Amino acid sequence: MRRKASLVLLAFAVFFAALAPLVRWYAFPRLAKIPPSEYQTAVLEARPATLLDYATMKPRTVPKVSIVQTLRGNVGAARTVGKETGRDVVVWDALSYIQGPDGKMVSRIPERYVFDAHSQDPVHAGGEHVDGDAVRREGIEYKWPFLTEKRDYRYFDAQTRTSAPIHYKGTRNFRGLSVYYFEQTIPWTKVPLPKTMPVDGVTPETVRKAGTSRWYTTKRMFWVEPTTGAPVNGQEIHREELRGGTLLGGRDRVTVFSGHVKMREDYIAHTVKMVSSQRQLVLAFTTYLPWGFGVLGAGLLSVALLLEARSRKPGESSPGPRRRLVNLRPRVPS
């Protein structure tokens, strides 16, 4: 019985030893994915801020400016792009809606972001755009890859429609989580005017005809939980200006917006709680299950060898062919 039990345990030991790398290197890439129906909302605020009054074309200081960022998964578009490309694809229809202290719209910038569900690499299909302008993203936007590394990444900037390095600046502790801190600085760059302007009669075309252009710079900061690749906090030191032309009444430049934009506290708390739970799911496939199966396989192998050793009689060697005893005494003839 002991030998039968040792053989059974040996079979299970081999099974779990083989299962450990399969969970990490086969199951994890196929199961750890952004769902196509993902829906997220975040509110950021600049308190106080400088905002242009388009009625007078003069900047003024306001108590706050709010930015509502919405990411909505487009399941139908993801299914279509997935069939065309043969990949697991996520399509996010995003909207950045900026409103002043009175609740009125300052600007709204829609986006479509198409990316690989596991790696977060951009997929150039499905009509990716920013404010209706077709773009071809490089690098990441909004989310880092699972198992984020301590290195620089390329991050897409929606204002300039280009990608630039975002630099890893070290590991920090944020609300009990070990996070990677990243920074990106976009220098003063001429950028397109929003297609939706806050004042009737003022359009991108009228601004351009006046010889006025829009310029922008920002310092972008992210605190990223590396296991999930999800930012748990984000901030920007953001400035926009209108420059040149007859619209400014002889002035060289006018501030459109200036402020230190920070994620609102209740959204930080919600994001930290959500990411903490998702982190455990990712760790289950990358650490807990592979190591657990490996240790279990080693333990079962040890027990199997122990039972095999105990099943033998003292002094008995490994079983071999039995020897036939031969009677060497001579026969005495009768």
Side-chain angles (χ1 to χ4, degrees), residues 142-158:
Y142 295 113
K143 185 188 179 297
W144 271 249
F146 293 104
L147 307 180
T148 299
E149 299 176 5
K150 296 179 179 181
R151 64 175 178 87
D152 297 349
Y153 288 84
R154 290 189 67 79
Y155 192 90
F156 182 78
D157 180 79

Side-chain angles (χ1 to χ4, degrees), residues 36 38 72-79 81 89-93 112-115 125-126:
E38 184 79 6
R72 185 188 301 273
N74 190 321
V75 178
R79 188 179 296 115
V81 177
V89 172
V90 174
V91 177
W92 274 349
D93 289 329
R112 171 162 285 192
Y113 178 32
V114 188
F115 60 96

